[in-house]
Amino acid sequence: MANSVLDMVFPSVDGKDVVARFDGGDITSDAGLLLVSEADRKLGLTKLMAASIDDHRDQDQVNHKMIELVRERTYAICAGYEDANDLTTLRHDPMLKTACDRLPSSGEPLGSQPTISRLENAVGRKDLLRIGTCIAERVVSQLPMDTRQVIIDVDPTDDPCHGQQELEFFNGYYDEHCYLPIHVHVTGGDGRQRLLCSLLRPGKAGPTLGLFGVLRRAIKLLRKRLPDARIILRGDSAFGTGEVIQFCQEAGIDFILGLKGNSRLHTLSTPVQMDACLKYKREGNGCREYGEFAYKAGPWKEHQRVVIKAEITRGELNPRFVVTSLAEKTPEEVYEFYCGRGEQENRIKEMKLDLGSGRTSCHRFLANQFRLLIHAAACVLMGVLQQSLEGTKWAKAQVGTIRLGLLKVGARIVETCRKAWVHLPTAFPEKAAWYHLHSVLSG
């Protein structure tokens, strides 16, 4: 007789009732965590992260090693469980346990939500610095050795707050109480944009708060691996300041930065803007004019090359300015190169929407920074899967698409005396992608 509490009765098929209940045993809906753990083993990321944390617990009373807790939290985010509360039940999942080097048949589950929360609140400033550094080191290690040019993209984004978190402030631009993390991505010779760093900042932080410290460490790592590579900093008009330009010059790197318009810039670019207006009058929409001139703002130490793009959009003149040290490119090439920074916005959206990086709801600021670093680690691991899928139809798939199509796979796990069998669906349509990933990641 069906239990109305446990059983779900569906329409009958050929005279037989269809009844569902959650009693399948060692079955997982996230078999793809096998691939995530394999990517992690190849990169060695969570092992380094765990080693970066000073563990002050009484080791005689510890049930969960630090590396297990870091992996559990990171892998769960990769699978789409960004809320630590999900671990209340997910810690029993046979595949998550297997990915964290704990057999499904072991009586001890993974860490609970309170255990994870205690970890998040126990991490200190030095731990966070070491974790951030090891993530950056692993990312830089993925850049091809024949890279001749590295682009560093920087961009802040809003992280809405909904409580009394430390250092959350009202931000007038975003019209909300928030944090204002800054994300740094690097692009090497293979053209793949990789997350290097995510730094949590107070909600009303200025554009350069924390920027130069992050860039110094990034430049040091890049020059250690790629001593002859040219490094270019790229950012929007929030970073088009004399302070940033001076930093780039002193660090020996190039820059291409947006520049906010002002009356002097409009005066110097009048001929180009007039040409755009005349061209629009003759040819209509879609006309663009490019030009350049030397410009020195009051606080700047010397004149810099400024490029203008002028076009008519919706019947109005819309000039845009870029300041750069790139002397070899034409004005049009400079602006097109600058527009490439839009790809970083896609990567940031991917991290926020597909990996839930906005779950910075702890009270302590440092705990929220640790959460952001865990999400960054998940992003790096998913990036390894993306890179490993080159040459397949999944080559340009975003994180959410890869998770839905390749990681969210049901499987039955059976242990024998010598093996743990993961029985995947016979009719699974993406077998070829799984075989491909296994070959690349285990090679």
Side-chain angles (χ1 to χ4, degrees):
M1 182 176 179
N3 186 315
S4 61
V5 176
L6 297 177
D7 294 349
M8 295 169 283
V9 180
F10 293 87
S12 61
V13 177
D14 285 343
K16 291 187 178 181
D17 289 341
V18 177
V19 183
R21 59 166 56 177
F22 288 100
D23 63 349
D26 287 338
I27 297 177
T28 182
S29 60
D30 298 292
L33 287 177
L34 274 177
L35 301 173
V36 174
S37 64
E38 196 67 18
D40 185 24
R41 294 178 198 282
K42 183 172 184 177
L43 194 60
L45 181 59
T46 58
K47 184 177 180 179
L48 286 175
M49 292 173 64
S52 300
I53 301 173
D54 285 333
D55 192 350
H56 301 291
R57 298 176 297 172
D58 183 352
Q59 297 303 307
D60 292 334
Q61 304 297 321
V62 167
N63 291 325
H64 307 285
K65 295 179 181 179
M66 185 62 69
I67 189 170
E68 183 181 273
L69 295 176
V70 172
R71 283 176 174 169
E72 177 188 3
R73 188 74 165 105
T74 306
Y75 295 172
I77 292 172
C78 290
Y81 305 104
E82 68 273 7
D83 193 331
N85 290 327
D86 293 327
L87 297 174
T88 301
T89 54
L90 195 65
R91 66 195 182 113
H92 300 281
D93 184 89
M95 183 47 63
L96 184 57
K97 291 175 70 175
T98 302
C100 294
D101 285 339
R102 189 181 286 262
L103 285 173
S105 61
S106 63
E108 184 71 27
L110 297 173
S112 63
Q113 178 271 322
T115 300
I116 295 296
S117 293
R118 283 193 293 271
L119 169 64
E120 292 173 343
N121 283 276
V123 176
R125 292 181 183 273
K126 292 182 180 179
D127 299 322
L128 293 171
L129 179 59
R130 289 192 292 265
I131 293 170
T133 299
C134 79
I135 291 176
E137 287 175 347
R138 291 293 83 202
V139 171
V140 170
S141 72
Q142 298 177 76
L143 299 179
M145 289 300 296
D146 60 353
T147 295
R148 292 292 173 262
Q149 176 177 286
V150 179
I151 304 168
I152 302 178
D153 283 298
V154 295
D155 202 14
T157 188
D158 65 313
D159 182 355
C161 295
H162 307 284
Q164 298 299 316
Q165 291 103 306
E166 289 181 342
L167 300 183
E168 63 86 12
F169 294 107
F170 181 80
N171 187 293
Y173 180 81
Y174 293 104
D175 193 29
E176 63 186 1
H177 287 264
C178 64
Y179 288 127
L180 202 63
I182 189 170
H183 299 285
V184 180
H185 290 75
V186 292
T187 306
D190 57 358
R192 180 171 293 278
Q193 197 171 60
R194 297 174 171 88
L195 177 66
L196 183 76
C197 171
S198 291
L199 178 67
L200 194 67
R201 306 185 304 167
K204 54 182 181 182
T208 60
L209 180 65
L211 173 66
F212 299 136
V214 168
L215 288 179
R216 288 189 186 95
R217 294 183 181 91
I219 293 169
K220 182 178 180 180
L221 291 174
L222 289 169
R223 285 183 170 154
K224 182 178 180 180
R225 178 170 174 81
L226 306 167
D228 299 323
R230 183 186 193 183
I231 301 175
I232 305 173
L233 177 67
R234 184 166 61 183
D236 64 16
S237 59
F239 303 99
T241 66
E243 189 179 12
V244 176
I245 292 173
Q246 182 178 345
F247 170 85
C248 293
Q249 292 173 334
E250 292 175 352
I253 67 173
D254 286 293
F255 58 89
I256 179 166
L257 308 166
L259 199 59
K260 295 179 181 178
N262 58 44
S263 59
R264 182 60 180 161
L265 289 173
H266 286 294
T267 298
L268 291 171
S269 62
T270 296
V272 180
Q273 296 190 44
M274 291 299 296
D275 287 344
C277 292
L278 293 173
K279 195 171 184 179
Y280 171 76
K281 194 171 184 178
R282 293 194 307 268
E283 303 176 18
N285 289 319
C287 301
R288 297 179 177 180
E289 287 293 316
Y290 298 89
E292 66 176 285
F293 52 87
Y295 170 72
K296 178 182 178 301
W300 297 7
K301 289 189 174 182
E302 56 190 22
H303 284 78
Q304 302 293 337
R305 183 191 187 196
V306 172
V307 166
I308 176 179
K309 182 206 73 171
E311 66 176 330
I312 310 295
T313 56
R314 297 180 181 178
E316 295 183 1
L317 183 61
N318 182 25
R320 298 295 179 92
F321 302 95
V322 173
V323 58
T324 184
S325 62
L326 305 179
E328 74 282 4
K329 295 182 180 293
T330 67
E332 183 173 357
E333 290 172 340
V334 166
Y335 197 82
E336 290 302 314
F337 184 83
Y338 171 75
C339 289
R341 61 169 295 277
E343 185 61 24
Q344 187 189 21
E345 296 180 359
N346 292 329
R347 302 283 76 77
I348 292 174
K349 289 177 182 177
E350 199 172 32
M351 185 172 175
K352 293 174 69 174
L353 299 178
D354 293 339
L355 293 172
S357 64
R359 287 301 181 103
T360 49
S361 54
C362 290
H363 171 69
R364 294 180 66 246
F365 182 81
L366 294 184
N368 288 320
Q369 173 64 87
F370 179 65
R371 282 192 174 188
L372 187 60
L373 287 174
I374 290 290
H375 283 270
C379 185
V380 171
L381 292 182
M382 294 301 290
V384 174
L385 294 184
Q386 289 173 314
Q387 180 179 347
S388 301
L389 287 165
E390 289 182 358
T392 73
K393 70 177 185 179
W394 297 88
K396 296 184 179 180
Q398 293 189 340
V399 167
T401 304
I402 291 174
R403 176 195 293 139
L404 185 62
L406 298 179
L407 303 189
K408 289 293 181 181
V409 185
R412 179 169 54 91
I413 300 177
V414 177
E415 286 186 58
T416 64
C417 59
R418 293 185 178 181
K419 295 182 180 180
W421 293 90
V422 180
H423 295 280
L424 297 162
T426 304
F428 182 53
E430 299 300 339
K431 297 177 187 177
W434 262 68
Y435 283 124
H436 175 85
L437 280 172
H438 177 262
S439 175
V440 172
L441 295 173
S442 62

